[in-house]
Amino acid sequence: MSQASRDPKPAPSSGTLVYAIYGVEPEVQAYAMAKYSRSALSMKDSLREMSEQKAEKFLNTYYFQYGHRSIADLAHIAMAIERLSILAAIAVVDEQRWDGQERSTRYQDFSHPDYYQPEFGGNRAAQRRFCDTIDFLFSEYQAISAKMFAHLKERTPRPIDMKQEAYERTLRARAFDVARYLLPLATNTSLGQIVNARTLETQISRLLSDPFPEVRALGESLKEAARNPAYNVNGYALRELWEEIRGRDDGWGKNVYDLLMKEVRPAPTLVKYADASPYLIKSREDLAGAAAELMAGAAIEPAPPVDLLDDEPLEIEIATTLLYEHCSYSYRQIRDRVAGLGASMRQEIIDLGLKHRGAHDELLRAFHAGQQLRFDILMDIGGFRDLHRHRRCVQIHQTFTDAHGYETPDELANAGLGDNYDAIMERVLDVAAELRRGAGADAQTDSVYLLPLAFRKRTLFKMDLAEAAYISELRTTAAGHFSYRNVAYLMYEAVAQRYPVLARHFRVTDVREPVDLLKR
């Protein structure tokens, strides 16, 4: 077949050509697409005449020298990130322009514990204490999973038309929904992501600036993976083909080798300057100090699980949000202090969020302000991980802490496991406090890995009406986890109270209605 016969043909009515592209390195693809605005060449012509060297030269000029960062949006890279802690996975996926999937705890075998072990400054006794407690949590997870499955099986008869295998699989998933409250943040997981090179560059820089050593190391690993040869899923088959060709004709084999066995580096040019961000690091230090000074050791006041915040001047919102991320107080408690300051002192807080900004730094996430609907949400870490996936909204995270206590699923009490569960959590609290008192610069962050997913985490969610409707509708369905179902329904109720005419169009499921455990 000739090249002409393989070329796409124009649509009869308009002459428009549409064709997919396959088999091009991400940076070369970005180069070809970027040339549309700078050349009359078609995509096919651009791809035929280019090389990696041309792409690198083009990107060095336009991306780095001229600052045309949108070019990196055109290079998409698929990556696997395996054996990272749940804590680190939350950090990795915290990008608004992120696409990927993480392993679900419902479908993992935790009979052989696999978890991240912090260094604790080389303190062997602290490491042993940590590992003993993590092993204990996994053991209790297995025991409670089995007991919850037996409890659910006893109270939920199998329908005649439901196969035994499907029946048990569904109830085990429900049991895991309860047992997951015991899984610690140290639990290893895996995820896959497909991101454009600009998002990857931002992600790497953010991770390299993180206070957790594991997360910083992940930033380095992502950068190296983008610069080094990618895994070729067809590599083994292509090598066999090349060896067969070489066996028949060594000359042909040499010619074919470069084509078949070529190493592809996903984004060696576009991420080469991705480094830790002084803006993020220095701003975090300054704002944490400002938050501590403003709150002056105040006790954390009780707050509802979902708080739909009131309208306020933009400068108060920004100043409050800048401090919110660096302490454990509710938004309202911080805002009350901020509102009581003079305008000049509020401006000083805002200035701290801009003081260290470099020429190419995007504004801190706290400056993404002005949304009509802002929810201050306090919920268990496990349920938060599900809401974290809603990246159309702006999310401002507080760090992990045991200061807010933990959630207790109703089903545990119904199964007679409540006292045992509380004893487990109290043991974790005691060990976490002990580890925090240990020596080493990372004692505070290292101890956090011990916290199970039951512990509460505070996050500020800012969104428009469409996103509030989407979360409320999707996350209240009966098949979902009871934790985020309750939070999503509280979000709906808060909107309904303030905007009843609009909220009546939300198609939510009433979480107060009984749930058929066998419907997924």
Side-chain angles (χ1 to χ4, degrees), residues 359-379:
H360 302 292
D361 289 320
E362 294 184 6
L363 286 172
L364 297 175
R365 192 178 295 182
F367 286 96
H368 291 232
Q371 292 83 354
Q372 188 74 16
L373 300 176
R374 297 171 299 133
F375 298 90
D376 189 8
I377 296 179
L378 183 64
M379 67 184 304

Side-chain angles (χ1 to χ4, degrees), residues 166-224:
Y167 168 72
E168 293 192 359
R169 182 175 62 249
T170 302
L171 287 186
R172 287 192 191 282
R174 293 291 190 179
F176 290 149
D177 282 351
V178 175
R180 83 173 188 186
Y181 280 71
L182 278 78
L183 291 174
L185 281 169
T187 306
N188 274 337
T189 183
S190 295
L191 59 87
Q193 67 175 29
I194 300 176
V195 294
N196 64 52
R198 175 151 58 157
T199 297
L200 179 61
E201 183 185 36
T202 302
Q203 182 187 51
I204 290 170
S205 178
R206 179 176 54 79
L207 297 178
L208 291 174
S209 309
D210 196 88
F212 286 87
E214 181 199 10
V215 177
R216 295 197 297 271
L218 271 173
E220 291 287 357
S221 297
L222 282 170
K223 186 173 181 178
E224 287 304 305

Side-chain angles (χ1 to χ4, degrees), residues 24 58 76 79 103 107 123 194 222 248 251 289 312 318 327 456 501:
V24 184
F58 177 88
H76 284 76
M79 309 182 84
R103 282 179 175 168
Y107 309 109
N123 186 328
I194 300 176
L222 282 170
R248 297 185 179 186
E312 61 202 353
I318 292 173
C327 61
R456 299 186 183 102
V501 175

Side-chain angles (χ1 to χ4, degrees), residues 465-484:
L465 183 69
E467 183 67 358
Y470 178 73
I471 293 175
S472 298
E473 293 177 0
L474 177 67
R475 295 302 183 180
T476 56
T477 57
H481 192 282
F482 49 83
S483 172
Y484 65 68

Side-chain angles (χ1 to χ4, degrees), residues 148-436:
M148 282 304 309
F149 174 68
H151 167 72
L152 295 176
K153 193 173 181 180
E154 181 179 349
R155 75 175 196 135
T156 313
R158 178 177 66 86
I160 297 176
D161 59 348
M162 190 176 194
K163 293 184 178 179
Q164 183 72 23
E165 181 183 358
Y167 168 72
E168 293 192 359
R169 182 175 62 249
T170 302
L171 287 186
R172 287 192 191 282
R174 293 291 190 179
F176 290 149
D177 282 351
V178 175
R180 83 173 188 186
Y181 280 71
L182 278 78
L183 291 174
L185 281 169
T187 306
N188 274 337
T189 183
S190 295
L191 59 87
Q193 67 175 29
I194 300 176
V195 294
N196 64 52
R198 175 151 58 157
T199 297
L200 179 61
E201 183 185 36
T202 302
Q203 182 187 51
I204 290 170
S205 178
R206 179 176 54 79
L207 297 178
L208 291 174
S209 309
D210 196 88
F212 286 87
E214 181 199 10
V215 177
R216 295 197 297 271
L218 271 173
E220 291 287 357
S221 297
L222 282 170
K223 186 173 181 178
E224 287 304 305
R227 299 171 68 182
N228 289 323
Y231 169 71
N232 185 347
V233 68
N234 297 313
Y236 293 115
L238 291 173
R239 177 169 287 277
E240 289 180 359
L241 177 60
W242 166 67
E243 289 178 349
E244 181 179 344
I245 294 171
R246 186 181 63 172
R248 297 185 179 186
D249 189 316
D250 190 54
W252 268 99
K254 291 177 181 178
N255 291 334
V256 169
Y257 182 87
D258 288 341
L259 180 63
L260 294 184
M261 307 304 296
K262 178 183 179 181
E263 293 182 335
V264 175
R265 291 168 170 77
T269 307
L270 293 172
V271 304
K272 66 180 178 180
Y273 295 124
D275 292 312
S277 167
Y279 179 39
L280 292 178
I281 295 170
K282 294 177 181 178
S283 296
R284 180 170 62 233
E285 295 171 356
D286 287 354
L287 292 167
E293 182 179 348
L294 179 68
M295 303 309 293
I300 298 174
E301 297 175 358
V306 175
D307 185 7
L308 177 56
L309 301 169
D310 304 319
D311 294 337
E312 61 202 353
L314 194 59
E315 64 272 15
I316 290 181
E317 178 188 346
I318 292 173
T320 303
T321 307
L322 283 166
L323 300 181
Y324 174 94
E325 186 176 358
H326 304 287
C327 61
S328 299
Y329 300 96
S330 71
Y331 185 94
R332 284 186 184 272
Q333 191 173 354
I334 302 167
R335 187 194 60 191
D336 288 346
R337 294 286 182 97
V338 170
L341 298 174
S344 61
M345 294 187 69
R346 284 196 294 270
Q347 187 59 52
E348 287 181 13
I349 296 172
I350 295 173
D351 289 344
L352 288 178
L354 298 165
K355 177 180 177 182
H356 303 290
R357 187 186 180 202
H360 302 292
D361 289 320
E362 294 184 6
L363 286 172
L364 297 175
R365 192 178 295 182
F367 286 96
H368 291 232
Q371 292 83 354
Q372 188 74 16
L373 300 176
R374 297 171 299 133
F375 298 90
D376 189 8
I377 296 179
L378 183 64
M379 67 184 304
D380 63 274
I381 298 170
F384 156 77
R385 292 173 71 220
D386 294 305
L387 288 193
H388 190 205
R389 298 172 188 164
H390 293 276
R391 281 174 284 273
R392 263 184 54 198
C393 54
V394 175
Q395 300 181 28
I396 308 295
H397 306 287
Q398 291 187 352
T399 191
F400 302 100
T401 178
D402 58 25
H404 306 303
Y406 56 88
E407 294 284 352
T408 301
D410 292 338
E411 283 294 347
L412 276 169
N414 296 338
L417 300 171
D419 291 342
N420 180 42
Y421 176 82
D422 287 335
I424 294 168
M425 294 303 167
E426 291 304 316
R427 174 172 170 176
V428 170
L429 282 168
D430 290 342
V431 177
E434 174 189 328
L435 294 175
R436 278 198 302 271

